[in-house]
Amino acid sequence: MAQRTDVDEREIRVLVENGEYWLRNRGDIAMMSVTIERIRARWPHARIGLLTHQPAILRGLLPDVEPISGPDWDWGSDGWLTRTAATKLVGPAALWWRATTDGPKDRLRALRAAGGNAGPVSADDTEEIPEEFPVQIPDAVRAASLVLALGGGYLTDVDRYQAHRTMDLLEHARGLGIPTALVGQGLGPMHDKQLWRRAGEVLPGVDFIGLREARRGPELLAQLGVPRDQVLVTGDDAVEFAYRLRDPRIGADIGLCLRVADYSKVSAAAQDTLGKVVRARAAELDAGLIPLIISEYASEDRLSTLPLLDGAERAAAPVGRGADAHDVARQVARCRVLVTSAYHLAVFALSQGIPAVGITASEYYDDKFHGLAGMFGAGLRVVHLDDADLSEQLTGAITELWDTAPALRDPLQQRAMDQIDASRAGLERVFGLVEDGPLRPVQRLGG
């Protein structure tokens, strides 16, 4: 179909769904940043709204986006005001306040984890969302020209609330005749029968689905009845974010991140072995150790990673709680090898030409890391934390990647460039949903 030439971009409103309403995961924020930048480059005067529980934080992180928040989850009356005057004051203040108050919360969480009596836990401490269905449909969808679900690993059993929330939104938009798309998605595992049923009802009707890996997603979508011509494997949208921050020099340090969460259970014995191996390898290779913090949700990365550096000969300080995704990606650039249980840190490393050891203790992370390995080829070794020979496996993987890091650099960066091209091509398909089809008249706001 020929491209339309009569699209008035001032009439375009892009409603953005995402898997990180609390804006505490720097990997997810990197994906948001790249995708929003691409949309803004295509449609400079369009309104872009992102669903969030943290409107003030969003203004600080992504000032070019309008927060769509409760209770009605609707567009504001003046998008340009939201992105200018309010942003200059509210956003930075909110970021400062959150970074300042997260320290005491960390100490309370550490006491609770150790069995101490720290008193009742507030909703602000846990930031948990009740897992119940159905979920509220945002009023903002009525005025949207496009509903776009950003990349993430939330269409899976371990995040059923977000998965149902996203599919309810996509189904509602489709019923209104609004184009829908998913980009940068990692699907599964999906064993929950209710979730599988909903995915089979909704996903075949989505206009375009971009996947971040080819190992699991295409087969799963085929089983759900999604037509093949609606699907494209593009890689992760954060690849371009990290690739831009690559350093021409090969790093001299080892990066480390361990996440212990409900969806990533790690035994105390495995944690102890991981710390011992990484500290020993760093000492023998005369390398510094850099703690890498990608998620600040309940401080899960800090509380699990920092104790592993105790006793290290040379350990760097972690980024501050107010640091952004650029700060962490620049830390990654100083590394020669990464050891990480956080998926997006591996994305940051491989995209810059830095090999990584992906450590996993669950099917969820098995799929994430093996899928990522398929996209980058050599350069990512996957090690299971429940392996009986964990110490030997970790030691061998770190040693091998340390030795081969120079030879892996160019091939990994080439794979990154290929994925950047594919990701941009996928978004071209999304743009075409608005530009090539009839532009849906939007509801005028404020009148």
Side-chain angles (χ1 to χ4, degrees):
M1 184 180 295
Q3 187 177 40
R4 286 185 48 179
T5 59
D6 62 339
V7 174
D8 181 356
E9 67 179 61
R10 289 174 177 80
E11 293 290 319
I12 296 174
R13 293 186 181 90
V14 182
L15 180 62
V16 180
E17 170 67 298
N18 70 98
E20 230 296 73
Y21 276 42
W22 294 107
L23 300 174
R24 287 186 174 274
N25 187 300
R26 297 182 177 99
D28 291 332
I29 292 167
M31 288 189 292
M32 292 177 196
S33 175
V34 169
T35 307
I36 297 302
E37 176 188 310
R38 292 171 177 174
I39 297 172
R40 183 61 67 203
R42 182 62 160 247
W43 297 323
H45 302 291
R47 292 182 67 171
I48 305 172
L50 188 138
L51 298 165
T52 182
H53 289 309
Q54 298 281 293
I57 295 295
L58 181 64
R59 291 189 179 106
L61 292 172
L62 298 172
D64 207 26
V65 180
E66 299 180 40
I68 306 293
S69 193
D72 297 326
W73 300 88
D74 208 351
W75 302 88
S77 60
D78 191 332
W80 290 110
L81 178 62
T82 299
R83 295 202 300 271
T84 55
T87 298
K88 292 178 181 178
L89 297 175
V90 175
L95 289 171
W96 175 85
W97 176 254
R98 187 167 77 173
T100 301
T101 58
D102 270 0
K105 294 175 186 176
D106 272 356
R107 288 188 284 275
L108 290 174
R109 293 183 185 108
L111 282 172
R112 287 194 294 271
N117 182 13
V121 182
S122 72
D124 185 53
D125 279 338
T126 61
E127 296 181 333
E128 292 177 354
I129 305 171
E131 195 161 308
E132 56 188 21
F133 314 114
V135 294
Q136 179 182 358
I137 299 296
D139 287 353
V141 71
R142 295 177 293 107
S145 309
L146 169 70
V147 173
L148 176 65
L150 293 186
Y154 50 82
L155 296 179
T156 176
D157 294 336
V158 303
D159 201 356
R160 291 186 303 130
Y161 182 89
Q162 178 60 33
H164 280 274
R165 174 162 57 187
T166 299
M167 287 190 284
D168 286 359
L169 174 62
L170 294 170
E171 182 181 59
H172 187 77
R174 181 189 177 197
L176 295 174
I178 300 168
T180 57
L182 293 148
V183 295
Q185 293 293 330
L187 305 185
M190 196 179 290
H191 304 301
D192 181 84
K193 292 181 179 179
Q194 183 185 10
L195 182 57
W196 182 264
R197 177 183 58 79
R198 282 298 286 152
E201 293 170 348
V202 175
L203 296 185
V206 174
D207 295 295
F208 173 76
I209 300 176
L211 297 174
R212 68 189 186 191
E213 52 81 27
R215 178 177 186 264
R216 185 75 68 189
E219 178 186 359
L220 192 152
L221 290 178
Q223 293 172 358
L224 290 167
V226 177
R228 185 172 298 180
D229 61 1
Q230 291 171 213
V231 179
L232 182 67
V233 177
T234 65
D236 195 285
D237 294 323
V239 169
E240 181 169 357
F241 180 92
Y243 179 78
R244 293 174 181 174
L245 298 172
R246 67 195 183 282
D247 192 314
R249 301 162 297 181
I250 294 180
D253 296 327
I254 297 175
L256 176 62
C257 178
L258 174 66
R259 179 174 302 165
V260 179
D262 290 342
Y263 55 88
S264 177
K265 296 186 182 298
V266 181
S267 69
Q271 294 180 55
D272 184 61
T273 298
L274 174 62
K276 288 179 178 177
V277 169
V278 174
R279 292 193 302 270
R281 284 281 73 204
E284 291 164 8
L285 295 168
D286 192 27
L289 270 179
I290 301 179
L292 299 168
I293 311 300
I294 198 80
S295 173
E296 297 287 1
Y297 184 85
S299 297
E300 56 191 356
D301 290 358
R302 290 182 185 275
L303 293 177
S304 302
T305 303
L306 297 185
L308 301 182
L309 275 66
D310 289 346
E313 294 183 6
R314 288 193 289 128
V319 295
R321 294 177 179 83
D324 63 17
H326 294 87
D327 298 318
V328 175
R330 291 189 185 100
Q331 276 193 319
V332 170
R334 293 164 43 194
C335 299
R336 184 175 175 122
V337 173
L338 240 66
V339 180
T340 177
S341 67
Y343 161 85
H344 264 116
L345 282 172
V347 173
F348 282 8
L350 297 168
S351 302
Q352 298 184 61
I354 300 165
V357 180
I359 49 178
T360 171
S362 68
E363 183 186 11
Y364 179 60
Y365 275 98
D366 288 350
D367 283 358
K368 281 181 177 247
F369 284 126
H370 284 294
L372 188 61
M375 297 302 294
F376 278 94
L380 178 60
R381 285 280 305 275
V382 181
V383 173
H384 288 264
L385 289 171
D386 56 359
D387 194 308
D389 299 319
L390 177 59
S391 181
E392 291 78 6
Q393 291 293 325
L394 276 172
T395 300
I398 295 170
T399 302
E400 175 193 335
L401 294 178
W402 183 274
D403 292 340
T404 58
L408 290 169
R409 196 168 188 82
D410 288 345
L412 289 174
Q413 290 185 357
Q414 182 59 55
R415 289 291 190 103
M417 289 189 288
D418 293 343
Q419 291 174 69
I420 291 168
D421 290 342
S423 180
R424 287 180 170 272
L427 206 55
E428 283 294 319
R429 294 267 299 268
V430 175
F431 293 143
L433 299 174
V434 175
E435 295 176 347
D436 297 348
L439 182 61
R440 175 179 175 270
V442 299
Q443 173 183 326
R444 294 283 184 179
L445 300 177

